[in-house]
Amino acid sequence: MPRSDQDSFLTGANSAFIAELYARYLEDPMAVDASWREFFAKLAEIPEAVRKERRGPGWAPPRPAMLNGHAAPDGHAEGALPQDIRQAALDSIRAMNLIRAFRVNGHLIATLDPLGLYRRTYHPDLDPATYGFAAADYDRPIFVNNLLGFTAATLNEILAALRLIYCGNVAVEYMHIQALEQRQWIQARIEVPRNTTEFTIEGKRAILERLTAAEQLERFLDRRYTGTKRFGIEGAEALIPALEQVIKRGGQLGMKELVIGMPHRGRLNVLTNVMGKPFAALFSEFQGNTANPEDVQGSGDVKYHLGTSTDREMGDIAMHLSLTANPSHLEAVDPVVLGKVRAKQRQRDDQNRDQVVGLLMHGDAAFAGQGLVAESLELSELKGYRTGGTLHFVVNNQIGFTTNPAQARSSPYPTDVAKGLQSPILHVNGDDAEAVVHVARIATEFRQRFKKDVVVDIFCYRRHGHNEADEPAFTQPAMYRAIASHPTTREIYAGRLIDEGLIDEAEAERFSSDFVARLEREFEAAKSYRPNKADWLEGVWSGLSIASGDDRRGETAASQELLAEVGAALTRVPDGFHLNRKIARQLDAKRQTLEQGEGIEWATAEAMAFGTLCAEGTFVRLSGQDSGRGTFSQRHAVLVDQESEEKYVPLNHIRAVQAPFEVLDSPLSEAAVMGFEYGYSLADPHALVLWEGQFGDFANGAEVIIDQFISSGEAKWLRMCGLVLLLPHGYEGQGPEHSSARLERFLQLCGEDNLQVCNLTSAANYFHALRRQVRRNFRKPLVIMTPKSLLRSPEIAARLEEMGPGTCFHRLIEESDPLTVDAQVRRVVLCSGKVYFDLRHARRERKIDDIAILRLEQLYPFPARSLAEALKRYQNAEIVWCQEEPENMGAWSFADRRIEKVLASLDIKAKRARYVGRPEAAATATGLLKRHNAEQARLIAEALAPA
Ligand SMILES: Cc1ncc(C[n+]2csc(CCOP(=O)(O)OP(=O)(O)O)c2C)c(N)n1
């Protein structure tokens, strides 16, 4: 069907144009465009009723067919008069444009707001007059070619159907979707059934029962714990039956597991009424008891952040549900959930991605405001991150704390950010519980059918203040006056079922009293409720345990045979593969170092760690910006055929049966990608999962993920994670933004054995650190400061035997140059990272033999025992801490007191370390290379200065 976006399309000149086209068509059907040909042909089959109407009163009597000077030939199909057809064509085209306008913009006048405060009733796009219809046109039949299920219908009938489908309590935005099949599916799904679901009586009763549970739980909490924060769901109770619908319909369509993320609002309700957490457990937490057994350590967290998991059964449907614990930071959990979904899909071999599905709930202000939402949505279709679509439910209570939508966003809806993803947006009035369940069903079906994100936007209200102790009338008096007299969703729905004669008042009341009686029983049980176990080492985590002791090397050495096998695979390409010439030379050099067993560069040692793990059956996943090649062109984990651009990943061709190596060039996001990898590592402790920063500096774009999840997740939620962060770090004169990964920040986060922070200067140590991560019986996040200019340096290169039998990771590397006798060593310089090589180089050049230099490869857990062991030799030496970072950065503040403690335990002269390095600074580094060089020379000179 030809169409135009212009409102004037059907008026004046265009009407003559259509007549002209029609005349041409009658002369020669092939003379007009195929779509017009089809249209006129269909019009010729116009039902008799429509034709009669057109010839009847109110119509001009048939004139001799003369259209713009073209005589219409006689005898066209079924003898309809051209004038008649011309008018019918105009009516049809007008009606079709009107229908299209409703499909695009019907939502603008939909009855979405339960409070009716922001309701629009008119929009010119939806006014038939805009398309040329006059008042007299409303009652005559119009041919609409099977749209809306009509062949022909009056304008009144068409409008009634359109309002029902597009402007009622459900409003669907989908015309922005480019995929025709998806648009057509939604159209068919909503237009023919007039955008409603006919629920069975049991279905309706189930909805009321869930609404009752949602409402009564909040009331009960309000009564028993008046004034305690619970971020109640009141006003959005329909969310609860909607989630039930996802489980039910999803189960029918192959879902087996839902990974859920949600904010504070309604969380206690979801935890209990959907996830099945015992009410007694919740009440016990309200009474101030911990969620975990007393003997389990950790800080614990507030009750509306806690996660849980459960198995739900509904008839013959079994569904595993896991609600991910999250911090207050709204939306930060989004990518974490996505990563978990992806990992679980791999575990289940869910290649179609229909068994494990992510479900995210959002507040309207947060969904529109937090950039992490857009970053997370962008992962949706990407290789390596795709999860087959997420179900999003926005609890759109039209307020964010005290902020109105007009201040919370520039876009018309909070959901507009998802339009870029071509997701359908299903807006719904939260007071119409059936409508909410209906859209939840459509969303579930759409996700399973098209494997795409879909958004349900529940327009609702927040019955109380932001939390229950807050006074909302300070800022929104009119809204809260309306809410005060507004019936609850349950009351509305119970009334509807009573009106429909399905239940009576007494039964509705019984729904409530039965549920409250159950809550009372649970309340009593809560008094003696004791959580009997922490659930953190179950399922895929079983067999792992809590980290303990100081000896944490693990078995990380590889056999010579395995090293040889991986080395061979690393330097092998398939026959006929057109290798880039430079890469070919690099591979030759690599082969040589491996054969000679020395000079093995950083990236090769890394590949050897990955390769040995994969060969041993451990899946390795590395994700970061440009990680395939490596920011510094050092990795080349993916080789590209120079003719066909086909990709070849040598580490996936070590042996016939091995675990895969997945290396991903991530989108240009830090927070979402790091969050995703964190989620992945939460769900799969047996994979080595790594996130890499382009430069370490950029990791602070993901600070929320680092602070709120990686460093504290185990203490808050008893959730271990073995994620590795690779952060290029080192002062090389590249300016303030390519020097520092902010080592000091990570060190400041260290406490309670929560992290491992390394600043590595040896490729062999890197090999062992990576393997160690998955070769011990516990998991801890590992932050590694990695080299830049040193990547290809022989100084950090490894010997093959340093990876072989009998070798392991070293937290501290002792002096290895020949020096004077220990007692005459006048200074010990302690350092970490790249500065070691500058110091050693200068010491060798200046032929100094009475200064020892020790490297701390791991800063946390601090290797106090090894350091004490190393320092006790140097009876008479002073101790210097030397770093290239400014004094307020780097490891100094962290190391100072720990070194002091070590010295206090020793019977040697030195009692404290002296600082040598750059003075404190606001920016991490100078932007001027000359100044950098001068600073660096000065600090090296000072560290090695005569006494
Ligand atoms: C990242 C972040 N910034 C600020 C806050 C403080 N805060 C908590 S709730 C809230 C309002 C959230 O509004 P909305 O997303 O609409 O959810 P609602 O509470 O209305 O359900 C704010 C600003 C937060 N929790 N997280």
Side-chain angles (χ1 to χ4, degrees), residues 6-12 14-15 18 89-90 93-95 97 131:
Q6 316 224 327
D7 291 350
S8 61
F9 181 66
L10 297 166
T11 54
N14 281 330
S15 139
I18 293 166
L90 281 175
I93 292 168
R94 284 171 176 155
N97 274 270
Y131 305 90

Side-chain angles (χ1 to χ4, degrees), residues 264-265 328-330 363-367 370 395 397 399-401 462 466:
H264 51 290
R265 180 79 48 216
S328 281
H329 293 59
L330 294 165
D364 50 322
F367 198 59
Q370 292 291 308
V395 173
N397 56 22
I399 194 163
F401 212 140
R462 190 189 68 196
H466 173 60

Side-chain angles (χ1 to χ4, degrees), residues 200-239:
T200 60
I201 296 171
E202 298 81 66
K204 288 174 186 243
R205 292 170 70 93
I207 292 173
L208 180 61
E209 189 267 323
R210 290 290 78 200
L211 286 177
T212 306
E215 178 181 307
Q216 293 303 336
L217 173 65
E218 298 292 351
R219 289 196 175 177
F220 190 85
L221 291 173
D222 189 48
R223 268 201 311 281
R224 294 290 185 179
Y225 309 102
T226 311
T228 309
K229 279 190 208 177
R230 59 192 150 86
F231 300 105
I233 201 173
E234 293 123 303
E237 287 90 342
L239 178 69

Side-chain angles (χ1 to χ4, degrees), residues 758-792:
C758 292
N759 191 7
L760 300 181
T761 59
S762 140
N765 232 7
Y766 183 41
F767 170 88
H768 289 292
L770 293 176
R771 288 180 51 84
R772 185 177 72 154
Q773 202 58 4
V774 274
R775 289 291 175 267
R776 294 176 300 190
N777 65 348
F778 64 88
R779 298 291 177 263
K780 291 277 175 199
L782 168 62
V783 182
I784 306 182
M785 305 285 127
T786 59
K788 295 177 294 177
S789 66
L790 285 176
L791 282 167
R792 291 180 189 77

Side-chain angles (χ1 to χ4, degrees), residues 677-706:
E677 304 311 335
Y678 170 77
Y680 201 108
S681 65
L682 278 186
D684 193 350
H686 301 295
L688 176 65
V689 184
L690 309 99
W691 179 86
E692 179 174 58
Q694 183 110 72
F695 282 83
D697 312 60
F698 301 112
N700 62 7
E703 205 62 63
V704 174
I705 304 295
I706 295 165

